[in-house]
Amino acid sequence: MRPRWDEGPAELVLVRHGNSVGNEADARARKAGAEELDLDARDADVELSATGRDQAAALGAWLREQPGELAPTVAISSPYLRARDTARLALDELRDAPALEHDERLRERDLGVLDGLTGTGIRARHPEEATRRQRLGKFYYQPPSGESWADVAQRVRGLLDDLRHGFDGERVWLFSHQAVIMTFRYVLDGLSEEEVLDLDRSTPIPNASMTTYCRRGPWLELESFADTSAVEASPTDVTREAGKGGRT
């Protein structure tokens, strides 16, 4: 059900975290055909890579050059380190940045026992889960001890419900992760299961990209999706995953 907005933010900007050491480990594992990522940190503690820090700073530099009426008035981040540091590095570029808050509902989807495994690793070590995922479909499949996309959608709906009250007219920036931002699209645009999964296949969300909604009447309407203008305006590379898995 697409939520209606009689009051609430004037603008909602969803920012994916900058490139992380987890993203880089995932790319190396896929290239090598490895079963797992060479990464010791738990998902919540995965750091930005050097490229990711540059991307976050580029986002802040881009923000600094925008008219004051476009600056965020509320900033909320996933508590995961790569998202927190993206927010901090970007907001540090602003003269009057809002205080950064954290909300665990913005954290990345929990992959449970499959965390850190590539698709090759899942098929080799948990073939029964690969079969179950194929049977249930990507959206409703819940890894052991993990979350389905539908579980993430419940988190997103709860956060959006909170933003309906006390944030009227605010420009709210949320710093989060690939699957969570896709789930915001599912909820805010009223997409079907098939539509959001098609979108996820066709458009991997770049690191430090912006997805922007503006309130018009009773709806938050999509203005731009996976926008990389800030990073493109800098010498820093635009990065995205060729395929999902591991940690995003």
Side-chain angles (χ1 to χ4, degrees):
M1 181 178 67
R2 189 181 181 192
R4 296 176 64 90
W5 296 80
D6 298 320
E7 59 178 324
E11 183 178 74
L12 185 68
V13 181
L14 309 169
V15 180
R16 188 186 172 204
H17 63 78
N19 184 260
S20 72
V21 296
N23 295 145
E24 294 183 342
D26 186 70
R28 291 193 301 270
R30 289 173 181 277
K31 185 176 181 180
E35 293 184 3
E36 63 182 332
L37 280 60
D38 182 16
L39 195 65
D40 293 330
R42 64 173 186 150
D43 199 14
D45 298 328
V46 170
E47 298 178 342
L48 291 175
S49 66
T51 297
R53 290 192 293 272
D54 288 343
Q55 291 169 339
L59 177 61
W62 178 87
L63 258 177
R64 190 178 60 235
E65 297 301 317
Q66 302 308 302
E69 63 269 17
L70 297 181
T73 59
V74 175
I76 309 171
S77 175
S78 156
Y80 283 20
L81 183 59
R82 56 194 182 275
R84 286 191 284 123
D85 281 353
T86 299
R88 178 181 55 80
L89 289 167
L91 295 174
D92 279 352
E93 296 287 333
L94 300 181
R95 179 177 300 175
D96 298 311
L100 181 62
E101 301 181 63
H102 304 99
D103 195 305
E104 69 282 351
R105 291 172 293 185
L106 291 171
R107 73 187 189 279
E108 182 56 298
R109 177 187 166 215
D110 187 346
L111 297 177
V113 300
L114 305 185
D115 181 43
L117 297 180
T118 63
T120 298
I122 294 169
R123 289 186 292 273
R125 301 184 188 187
H126 301 280
E128 73 289 349
E129 289 303 319
T131 300
R132 192 165 70 90
R133 181 182 184 276
Q134 185 175 25
R135 184 175 69 252
L136 294 176
K138 181 177 179 178
F139 191 83
Y140 290 106
Y141 169 70
Q142 185 181 60
S145 304
E147 294 179 294
S148 67
W149 278 51
D151 293 327
V152 177
Q154 292 182 38
R155 288 201 252 129
V156 166
R157 291 187 190 279
L159 178 58
L160 288 172
D161 193 53
D162 284 353
L163 289 176
R164 293 170 185 269
H165 311 289
F167 294 89
D168 198 39
E170 302 279 9
R171 294 183 298 278
V172 178
W173 282 52
L174 304 178
F175 294 81
S176 192
H177 307 262
Q178 162 91 20
V180 183
I181 294 171
M182 281 293 183
T183 309
F184 271 97
R185 291 276 334 249
Y186 168 76
V187 172
L188 289 173
D189 298 344
L191 301 181
S192 67
E193 172 189 354
E194 293 77 15
E195 287 170 334
V196 72
L197 294 182
D198 283 345
L199 183 65
D200 185 58
R201 282 189 291 268
S202 65
T203 313
I205 298 176
N207 296 106
S209 64
M210 299 169 286
T211 295
T212 301
Y213 286 85
C214 293
R215 184 155 61 90
R216 294 193 179 87
W219 309 112
L220 280 175
E221 300 286 1
L222 183 68
E223 287 288 304
S224 63
F225 175 51
D227 178 14
T228 57
S229 298
V231 178
E232 290 175 4
S234 76
T236 308
D237 291 335
V238 173
T239 57
R240 57 173 63 82
E241 283 73 54
K244 264 68 72 186
R247 296 175 178 183
T248 57

